[in-house]
Amino acid sequence: MNPLVSVLTPTCDPERLSQLRRAIQSVLNQTYPCLEAIVVADGPRATHVDVLEEEICDSRLRVVRLSKAQGPAAARNAGAKVAQGEFLAFLDDDDEWLPQKLEVQVAIAQENPDAAFVFSDAYFIQETEVDTYLRMTKFRGSPTLEALCRNDFVLCVTAMVKRTVFDEVGGLDTSEEILGTDDADLWGRILHRSYSAAYSPLPLAVHNHNKDSYSSSIEFLQHLANLLKRRMRLFSDRPGCVTLLKGYLFKVTYVEMREHLRAGRVEETSACFRRSASIRPFPNMDYYARRFHGDAYTWLLSGQRREARLNLWFSMRLNPFYWKNYFYWVFSWLPAGVYQTARRLKKHVSGNRGSCPGHESSCKRPSADT
């Protein structure tokens, strides 16, 4: 009695035909046979689905066409309306699955009947001159609401949710203010209703990422911040979750501030900080100051003195009493080689004193004979 799994894949860009073909083939090549692949053409521009339909002659492939583009969340909801499966799974048109993905997850779902959704680890491919394959989450612990409030660890490309639960919570939210984070919003709403989740540490999917992707943009960070603020309101009955969400928001805001500052947008950087300070005025000032100080240190090491000064200047604005900023500020005006020489000299003196910094791998552990 294998349950049917409906796989939802929204697509709108005709230039993604090759990626879409690869994604759908990874579904149809699953070792788990009881599935349907639903491709949602998001608007009249998605003419490449016609080509796909002609190329792939498989009764498990279904195509849904929307008369106007509505965005990924609305497209997935439209696919869910016609889906016949007991479970819904999600696959973007530029990602892919490993062959055993559904087989492993259906088995986990049957072993954990109370779990509303199942997710796993995945491979992350950074598309550069030399593709970099990394494990994405390496999640540890239990997939609780509190854990989700620390960091979003559920990857949409790996998730499989019960159809009944998906319908109960109202599906994916199509609001513009959380665009691109609608899947994270879904998992939070499900866990908030006291449902459980199950996790497989096996990497069962491949997420292809490039520097121009939406998840790398300032807009995505702003929408993620909107999601976290929404969660603070929704989870107000769980004070511990709200505290964790504040910490998560500070991290997201820091990344947004860093990206603005890197582009020279000082006013936008200051505006980000003011928004963050309105939530917790004092403790985050030193947090941000030290983070920007750390960025300045990295820029100094690479010889980028102007970028280092920009980060130091903002760090000093946040915490004028952090004395290390002034020390590095002096070095940022000296020739690049001066700082490198001083750093080597410091290491040499520390070595002669027999010190062994905790982060250095040269510290020798006692041998087995000791």
Side-chain angles (χ1 to χ4, degrees), residues 323-343:
W323 65 270
K324 287 186 178 181
N325 282 327
Y326 301 97
F327 178 77
Y328 287 109
W329 179 265
V330 173
F331 276 106
S332 72
W333 290 99
L334 299 175
V338 174
Y339 177 69
Q340 298 287 358
T341 301
R343 189 166 177 267

Side-chain angles (χ1 to χ4, degrees), residues 295-327:
D295 287 342
Y297 176 77
T298 302
W299 286 119
L300 270 179
L301 287 179
S302 61
Q304 305 294 319
R305 292 176 293 162
R306 178 184 174 279
E307 289 78 3
R309 283 195 295 272
L310 190 60
N311 280 271
L312 288 169
W313 170 77
F314 201 78
S315 180
M316 287 186 283
R317 284 187 62 185
L318 299 176
N319 185 355
F321 302 105
Y322 190 47
W323 65 270
K324 287 186 178 181
N325 282 327
Y326 301 97
F327 178 77

Side-chain angles (χ1 to χ4, degrees), residues 156-289:
C156 189
V157 66
T158 74
M160 187 183 75
V161 61
K162 286 182 177 178
R163 169 67 180 273
T164 54
V165 176
F166 182 86
D167 291 339
E168 179 187 332
V169 300
L172 292 159
D173 192 314
T174 59
S175 304
E176 286 288 329
E177 67 173 4
I178 61 169
L179 179 66
T181 65
D182 47 90
D183 57 303
D185 171 68
L186 175 65
W187 317 129
R189 286 187 284 125
I190 291 175
L191 292 175
H192 184 245
R193 295 201 179 196
S194 300
Y195 282 108
S196 62
Y199 169 71
S200 169
L202 296 174
L204 299 174
V206 177
H207 174 61
N208 296 295
H209 179 82
N210 62 75
K211 63 180 181 179
D212 298 323
S213 68
Y214 178 72
S215 59
S216 301
S217 65
I218 286 287
E219 290 77 13
F220 173 79
L221 293 172
Q222 293 168 344
H223 292 152
L224 178 56
N226 291 338
L227 171 64
L228 298 179
K229 293 173 185 176
R230 174 185 287 192
R231 282 178 175 172
M232 288 182 195
R233 297 190 297 270
L234 181 62
F235 305 161
S236 59
D237 58 327
R238 308 276 286 270
C241 288
V242 174
T243 301
L244 294 170
L245 285 167
K246 287 181 179 180
Y248 189 1
L249 179 59
F250 290 152
K251 294 177 183 178
V252 172
T253 306
Y254 161 71
V255 177
E256 186 181 350
M257 291 165 66
R258 184 183 65 187
E259 293 303 313
H260 280 308
L261 193 61
R262 183 175 296 175
R265 297 187 291 265
V266 177
E267 288 303 320
E268 289 83 350
T269 309
S270 300
C272 287
F273 175 74
R274 287 193 294 271
R275 290 198 304 270
S276 176
S278 67
I279 300 174
R280 192 170 64 182
F282 300 109
N284 61 339
M285 299 179 84
D286 187 60
Y287 168 82
Y288 286 136

